[in-house]
């Protein structure tokens, strides 16, 4: 897992198959040759290179671990390795793929009708159609069960009203998977609705002013009496469990992705420490700097091992949401700390986007919050360890 580093001290790559290593190399090449040369420009402009979507599709990176309907159906370690490489580029790139594959394609794949799957999945896998996922609302983030968005049955349609906030890919999406309660109320009445671009009453507005995850589209979605045909309701799921099952898929990808950002800041700090001379020596020769590098690297190896075991469990269908919370919480936390320390090693250069470190650092602040905040994952673990839910 550390092949590109040239410092795979723990020989983690021995845990991978040749096929997994080849796939990782192909994704690394895409990131190095087609994404990294433009990331600074996109980060500054607050844009995402949507034109990369067909290329991501061609490489099988959209809905990668799903079977059929044009999806490659890879094992979960391969999926994780790909997310790691993408986030070595930028969290925005991994986010794009996570939302498309795990939050928009997965619910259609797992809970959709045959007609819905045929209609959406092949185009989404190819990157020709884009999806987004609307769960969070202005007044309900960590507690999505309290959502206010409502769907009222009216003949063979549902009439949707409400607002979803912080929606990745919101303004570029052809289809939004929107979670809403039916007018009967109660948690079990939460259903998923496929809201299509252009449906009257549906609007997506981009959110500006982000200082984090700038190379990613984030939007507010509003629904004013949007008439959604009953055939666009996901038939095979009801209740909060539906969106939470999608989050498990995406959180798994984030646990791997965070180690990509972690590796990028480690490599940048190591290279800088070896070339920056102060007091007549490279700063890498000072004990305090070596300690910082050793700490960053040690946590990286541990996070990668957690991911590898998690991937194994997931392939055996034995990973539950507690395992995924453990990995998301640990790996994002240590990546963020690594980015802060790496920033310190770069001195004043650490605050410019000419180096990748502060871009990753600010991105990781979003990753720390989305897909369940660090606090929420702590409480999920706490509940597992004590049997006592402490959410409310
Ligand atoms: P609670 O009563 O505990 O659970 C309701 C039902 O769901 C089941 N369940 C899960 N099932 C599958 N996976 C999980 N992770 C599950 N967690 C719970 C549970 O067993 C129960 O089932 P049943 O059959 O008994 O009904 O629900 P609660 O209301 O107390 O909430 C629990 C809590 C706080 C853990 C949950 O709501 C939560 O995870 N909150 C965080 C919200 C969140 O993560 N939002 C993310 C939005 S999407 C996003 O951020 C995308 S970023 C995209 C990007 O750019 O990468
Ligand atoms: P809140 O829930 O209001 O939390 C505020 C603070 O209170 C946090 O520190 C939290 O940990 C703490 N807190 C809350 N409850 C508890 C508790 N019980 N105990 C202790 N502390 C608590 N959502 C989507 O649906 N789709 C998307 O595509 C999407 N993309 C996103 C992209 C970005 C860049 C960002 C930043 C967010 C995105 N989100 C998306 C929303 C994200 O999932 C939420 O921001 C997240 O779930 C937290 O909700 P909140 O921001 O409302 O914070």
């Amino acid at each position: 897992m550390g092949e590109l580093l040239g410092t795979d001290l723990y020989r983690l790559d021995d845990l991978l198959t040749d096929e997994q290593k080849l796939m990782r190399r192909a994704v690394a090449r895409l990131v190095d040759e087609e994404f990294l040369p433009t990331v600074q420009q996109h980060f500054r402009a607050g844009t995402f290179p949507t034109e990369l979507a067909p290329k991501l599709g061609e490489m099988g990176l959209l809905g990668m671990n799903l079977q059929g309907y044009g999806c490659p159906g890879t094992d979960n370690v391969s999926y994780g390795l790909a997310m790691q490489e993408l986030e070595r580029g930028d969290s925005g790139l991994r986010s794009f793929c996570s939302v498309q594959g795990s939050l928009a394609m997965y619910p259609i794949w797992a809970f959709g009708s045959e007609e819905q799957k045929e209609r959406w999945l092949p185009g989404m896998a190819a990157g020709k159609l884009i999806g987004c996922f609307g769960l969070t609302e202005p007044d309900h983030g960590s507690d999505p069960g309290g959502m206010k968005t409502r769907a009222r049955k009216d003949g063979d349609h549902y009439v949707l009203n409400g607002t979803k906030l912080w929606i990745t890919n919101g303004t570029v999406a052809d289809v939004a998977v929107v979670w809403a309660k039916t007018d009967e109320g109660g948690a079990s009445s939460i259903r998923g609705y496929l809201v299509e671009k252009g449906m009257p009453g549906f609007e997506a507005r981009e959110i500006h002013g982000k200082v984090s995850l700038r190379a990613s589209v984030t939007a507010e979605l509003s629904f004013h009496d949007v008439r959604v045909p009953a055939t666009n309701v996901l038939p095979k799921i009801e209740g909060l469990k539906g969106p939470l099952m999608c989050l498990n898929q995406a959180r798994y990808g984030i646990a791997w992705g965070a180690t990509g950002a972690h590796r990028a800041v480690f490599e940048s700090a190591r290279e800088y420490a070896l070339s920056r001379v102060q007091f007549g020596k490279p700063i890498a020769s000072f004990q305090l700097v070596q300690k910082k590098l050793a700490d960053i690297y040690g946590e990286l190896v541990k996070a990668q091992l957690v991911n590898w075991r998690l991937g194994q469990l997931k392939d055996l269908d034995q990973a539950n949401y507690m395992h995924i919370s453990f990995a998301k919480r640990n790996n994002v936390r240590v990546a963020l700390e690594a980015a802060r320390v790496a920033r310190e090693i770069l001195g004043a250069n650490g605050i410019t986007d000419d180096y990748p470190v502060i871009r990753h650092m600010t991105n990781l602040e979003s990753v720390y919050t989305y897909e369940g905040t660090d606090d929420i994952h702590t409480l999920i673990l706490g509940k597992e360890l004590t049997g006592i839910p402490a959410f409310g």
Side-chain angles (χ1 to χ4, degrees):
M1 273 158 268
E3 180 209 36
L4 300 167
L5 199 64
T7 49
D8 183 11
L9 301 182
Y10 250 74
R11 298 183 50 180
L12 297 185
D13 270 10
D14 293 357
L15 299 170
L16 305 178
T17 64
D18 288 343
E19 211 179 4
Q20 288 167 342
K21 285 187 248 185
L22 273 176
M23 181 282 305
R24 183 184 58 186
R25 195 166 304 146
V27 182
R29 198 174 312 123
L30 169 84
V31 169
D32 290 337
E33 293 173 8
E34 298 192 40
F35 181 75
L36 282 176
T38 63
V39 67
Q40 184 186 50
Q41 172 198 323
H42 282 292
F43 194 81
R44 287 186 180 178
T47 51
F48 178 78
T50 324
E51 65 278 5
L52 268 186
K55 178 80 191 184
L56 295 167
E58 199 181 296
M59 290 187 64
L61 299 172
L62 305 174
M64 197 173 170
N65 58 348
L66 306 180
Q67 296 275 356
Y69 306 95
C71 306
T74 64
D75 64 86
N76 284 293
V77 170
S78 295
Y79 167 53
L81 287 167
M83 296 302 118
Q84 179 181 270
E85 283 314 313
L86 294 173
E87 196 149 354
R88 184 175 61 79
D90 193 85
S91 303
L93 181 59
R94 196 269 310 136
S95 261
F96 180 87
C97 293
S98 289
V99 168
Q100 176 84 346
S102 298
L103 295 181
M105 293 172 71
Y106 172 79
I108 298 173
W109 180 85
F111 313 133
S113 64
E114 201 47 43
E115 189 199 355
Q116 290 166 350
K117 292 182 202 188
E118 296 284 359
R119 174 162 178 213
W120 294 106
L121 293 179
M124 291 173 88
K128 290 180 184 154
L129 295 171
I130 309 287
C132 69
F133 175 88
L135 179 65
T136 306
E137 300 186 351
D139 297 332
H140 295 279
S142 297
D143 66 337
M147 69 176 68
K148 291 182 184 156
T149 301
R150 289 291 182 272
R152 176 174 52 82
K153 186 102 175 15
D154 182 22
D156 56 2
H157 281 71
Y158 283 86
V159 182
L160 217 60
N161 280 286
T163 306
K164 297 288 176 182
L165 196 58
W166 304 113
I167 307 306
T168 302
N169 295 350
T171 51
V172 294
D174 299 285
V175 61
V177 177
V178 178
W179 300 94
K181 284 184 181 174
T182 57
D183 41 359
E184 288 88 30
S188 65
S189 64
I190 293 173
R191 305 289 301 266
Y193 299 81
L194 302 180
V195 181
E196 297 173 39
K197 190 176 202 158
M199 281 182 166
F202 172 35
E203 267 186 65
R205 275 178 301 276
E206 189 161 354
I207 295 171
H208 294 290
K210 284 182 298 167
V211 183
S212 167
L213 220 74
R214 288 188 53 74
S216 175
V217 171
T218 315
E220 178 184 70
L221 310 183
S222 60
F223 311 94
H224 297 290
D225 290 331
V226 181
R227 291 184 68 78
V228 181
T231 48
N232 279 29
V233 181
L234 296 174
K236 295 186 198 152
I237 195 75
E238 234 183 278
L240 189 56
K241 202 175 178 135
L244 292 177
M245 283 172 71
C246 305
L247 294 181
N248 292 337
Q249 304 298 317
R251 290 168 179 174
Y252 173 83
I254 290 175
W256 280 86
T259 61
H262 194 148
R263 214 179 74 203
V265 300
F266 171 72
E267 286 174 354
S268 184
R270 177 170 171 264
E271 203 179 297
Y272 190 86
L274 286 167
S275 62
R276 173 73 177 169
V277 174
Q278 289 294 287
F279 298 97
K281 292 181 199 165
I283 61 171
S285 59
F286 301 130
Q287 289 180 358
L288 289 176
V289 174
Q290 289 193 5
K291 178 186 182 298
K292 286 172 191 165
L293 290 173
D295 286 345
I296 294 174
Y297 184 73
E299 291 304 323
L300 174 60
V301 171
K302 288 191 259 176
Q304 287 179 318
L305 279 168
V306 166
N307 280 342
W308 185 74
R309 177 62 181 146
L310 179 63
Q312 265 191 332
L313 289 175
K314 194 156 159 51
D315 279 338
L316 294 168
D317 211 15
Q318 287 175 13
N320 65 35
Y321 64 75
M322 181 276 300
H323 296 120
I324 292 172
S325 282
F326 179 102
K328 193 272 183 184
R329 173 180 185 263
N330 180 74
N331 295 2
V332 176
R333 204 177 245 225
V334 297
L336 181 56
E337 181 57 22
R340 287 172 180 156
V341 176
R343 209 289 309 146
E344 193 184 334
I345 292 174
L346 267 69
N349 278 319
I351 69 151
T352 80
D353 66 3
D354 288 335
Y355 292 84
V357 174
I358 200 157
R359 176 168 51 78
H360 281 296
M361 188 184 107
T362 62
N363 283 344
L364 286 163
E365 291 288 351
S366 283
V367 183
Y368 192 76
T369 286
Y370 68 33
E371 296 273 7
T373 65
D374 181 80
D375 291 329
I376 289 298
H377 292 294
T378 303
L379 295 173
I380 291 172
L381 271 183
K383 181 180 163 197
E384 189 70 23
L385 296 172
T386 63
I388 306 167
F391 300 109

